[in-house]
Short mmCIF file of all heavy atoms in Angstrom, two decimals:
data_model
loop_
_atom_site.label_atom_id
_atom_site.label_comp_id
_atom_site.label_asym_id
_atom_site.label_seq_id
_atom_site.Cartn_x
_atom_site.Cartn_y
_atom_site.Cartn_z
N ARG B 699 -26.15 20.03 -25.43
CA ARG B 699 -25.44 19.11 -24.53
C ARG B 699 -26.34 18.77 -23.36
O ARG B 699 -27.02 19.57 -22.81
CB ARG B 699 -24.16 19.79 -24.06
CG ARG B 699 -23.10 19.72 -25.07
CD ARG B 699 -21.73 20.12 -24.49
NE ARG B 699 -21.88 21.48 -23.91
CZ ARG B 699 -21.00 22.00 -23.05
NH1 ARG B 699 -20.05 21.28 -22.68
NH2 ARG B 699 -21.16 23.23 -22.61
N LYS B 700 -26.20 17.50 -22.98
CA LYS B 700 -26.97 17.01 -21.84
C LYS B 700 -26.34 17.49 -20.51
O LYS B 700 -25.13 17.58 -20.47
CB LYS B 700 -27.09 15.53 -21.85
CG LYS B 700 -28.00 15.03 -22.94
CD LYS B 700 -28.52 13.64 -22.61
CE LYS B 700 -29.55 13.24 -23.64
NZ LYS B 700 -29.30 11.87 -24.14
N VAL B 701 -27.12 17.72 -19.54
CA VAL B 701 -26.55 18.15 -18.22
C VAL B 701 -25.83 16.97 -17.61
O VAL B 701 -26.09 15.83 -17.88
CB VAL B 701 -27.66 18.60 -17.24
CG1 VAL B 701 -28.20 19.96 -17.70
CG2 VAL B 701 -28.73 17.60 -17.10
N LEU B 702 -24.89 17.32 -16.76
CA LEU B 702 -24.08 16.30 -16.12
C LEU B 702 -24.92 15.45 -15.18
O LEU B 702 -25.85 15.96 -14.49
CB LEU B 702 -22.99 16.98 -15.30
CG LEU B 702 -21.93 17.74 -16.09
CD1 LEU B 702 -21.05 18.51 -15.16
CD2 LEU B 702 -21.09 16.82 -16.94
N SER B 703 -24.63 14.16 -15.09
CA SER B 703 -25.30 13.26 -14.14
C SER B 703 -24.81 13.65 -12.74
O SER B 703 -23.84 14.40 -12.55
CB SER B 703 -24.91 11.83 -14.41
OG SER B 703 -23.58 11.63 -14.11
N LYS B 704 -25.48 13.13 -11.70
CA LYS B 704 -25.16 13.43 -10.34
C LYS B 704 -23.71 12.94 -10.02
O LYS B 704 -22.98 13.67 -9.38
CB LYS B 704 -26.15 12.70 -9.40
CG LYS B 704 -26.08 13.06 -7.98
CD LYS B 704 -27.04 14.24 -7.65
CE LYS B 704 -27.11 14.69 -6.24
NZ LYS B 704 -25.93 14.99 -5.52
N ILE B 705 -23.42 11.75 -10.55
CA ILE B 705 -22.06 11.20 -10.31
C ILE B 705 -21.00 12.07 -10.94
O ILE B 705 -19.97 12.41 -10.35
CB ILE B 705 -21.96 9.77 -10.90
CG1 ILE B 705 -22.85 8.81 -10.04
CG2 ILE B 705 -20.52 9.30 -10.90
CD1 ILE B 705 -22.89 7.43 -10.55
N ALA B 706 -21.30 12.53 -12.17
CA ALA B 706 -20.32 13.40 -12.89
C ALA B 706 -20.13 14.70 -12.15
O ALA B 706 -19.00 15.18 -11.94
CB ALA B 706 -20.82 13.67 -14.28
N GLN B 707 -21.21 15.31 -11.70
CA GLN B 707 -21.13 16.57 -10.91
C GLN B 707 -20.30 16.40 -9.68
O GLN B 707 -19.38 17.23 -9.44
CB GLN B 707 -22.52 17.03 -10.50
CG GLN B 707 -23.19 17.94 -11.53
CD GLN B 707 -24.52 18.43 -10.97
OE1 GLN B 707 -24.64 18.70 -9.76
NE2 GLN B 707 -25.48 18.50 -11.80
N ASN B 708 -20.59 15.39 -8.90
CA ASN B 708 -19.81 15.15 -7.67
C ASN B 708 -18.35 15.02 -7.98
O ASN B 708 -17.50 15.59 -7.29
CB ASN B 708 -20.29 13.85 -7.00
CG ASN B 708 -21.45 14.08 -6.13
OD1 ASN B 708 -21.67 15.22 -5.69
ND2 ASN B 708 -22.21 13.08 -5.80
N ARG B 709 -18.09 14.18 -9.00
CA ARG B 709 -16.68 13.88 -9.31
C ARG B 709 -15.99 15.16 -9.74
O ARG B 709 -14.84 15.43 -9.30
CB ARG B 709 -16.70 12.82 -10.33
CG ARG B 709 -15.44 12.57 -10.99
CD ARG B 709 -14.47 11.63 -10.71
NE ARG B 709 -13.49 11.90 -11.78
CZ ARG B 709 -12.73 10.98 -12.30
NH1 ARG B 709 -12.80 9.73 -11.90
NH2 ARG B 709 -11.86 11.33 -13.22
N LEU B 710 -16.63 15.98 -10.61
CA LEU B 710 -15.94 17.18 -11.10
C LEU B 710 -15.74 18.19 -9.97
O LEU B 710 -14.71 18.89 -9.93
CB LEU B 710 -16.76 17.79 -12.26
CG LEU B 710 -16.55 17.06 -13.57
CD1 LEU B 710 -17.54 17.57 -14.60
CD2 LEU B 710 -15.13 17.25 -14.06
N GLN B 711 -16.68 18.24 -9.05
CA GLN B 711 -16.51 19.14 -7.95
C GLN B 711 -15.27 18.74 -7.11
O GLN B 711 -14.48 19.59 -6.65
CB GLN B 711 -17.74 19.18 -7.03
CG GLN B 711 -18.50 20.49 -7.24
CD GLN B 711 -20.04 20.29 -7.16
OE1 GLN B 711 -20.45 19.29 -6.64
NE2 GLN B 711 -20.77 21.20 -7.74
N LYS B 712 -15.09 17.45 -6.94
CA LYS B 712 -13.91 16.94 -6.17
C LYS B 712 -12.67 17.28 -6.96
O LYS B 712 -11.67 17.64 -6.36
CB LYS B 712 -13.97 15.44 -5.96
CG LYS B 712 -15.22 15.02 -5.23
CD LYS B 712 -14.97 14.66 -3.75
CE LYS B 712 -16.20 14.39 -3.11
NZ LYS B 712 -16.52 14.44 -1.84
N GLU B 713 -12.67 17.06 -8.28
CA GLU B 713 -11.48 17.30 -9.06
C GLU B 713 -11.12 18.80 -9.00
O GLU B 713 -9.96 19.18 -8.91
CB GLU B 713 -11.71 16.93 -10.53
CG GLU B 713 -11.64 15.39 -10.76
CD GLU B 713 -11.48 15.06 -12.21
OE1 GLU B 713 -10.62 15.62 -12.87
OE2 GLU B 713 -12.26 14.23 -12.66
N LEU B 714 -12.15 19.61 -9.06
CA LEU B 714 -11.93 21.09 -9.02
C LEU B 714 -11.32 21.48 -7.67
O LEU B 714 -10.36 22.28 -7.62
CB LEU B 714 -13.27 21.76 -9.19
CG LEU B 714 -13.21 23.27 -9.58
CD1 LEU B 714 -12.49 23.47 -10.85
CD2 LEU B 714 -14.61 23.85 -9.68
N ALA B 715 -11.84 20.93 -6.57
CA ALA B 715 -11.33 21.25 -5.25
C ALA B 715 -9.89 20.83 -5.12
O ALA B 715 -9.04 21.60 -4.62
CB ALA B 715 -12.19 20.58 -4.19
N GLU B 716 -9.60 19.62 -5.64
CA GLU B 716 -8.19 19.14 -5.57
C GLU B 716 -7.28 20.02 -6.41
O GLU B 716 -6.16 20.34 -6.04
CB GLU B 716 -8.19 17.67 -6.08
CG GLU B 716 -6.84 17.04 -6.23
CD GLU B 716 -6.04 16.91 -4.93
OE1 GLU B 716 -6.70 16.87 -3.87
OE2 GLU B 716 -4.79 16.87 -4.97
#
Side-chain angles (χ1 to χ4, degrees):
Chain B
R699 281 190 305 163
K700 287 202 175 132
V701 288
L702 295 170
S703 69
K704 190 93 180 48
I705 291 177
Q707 267 184 40
N708 273 340
R709 167 97 178 212
L710 282 171
Q711 254 142 20
K712 302 256 172 202
E713 284 195 50
L714 196 61
E716 174 63 24

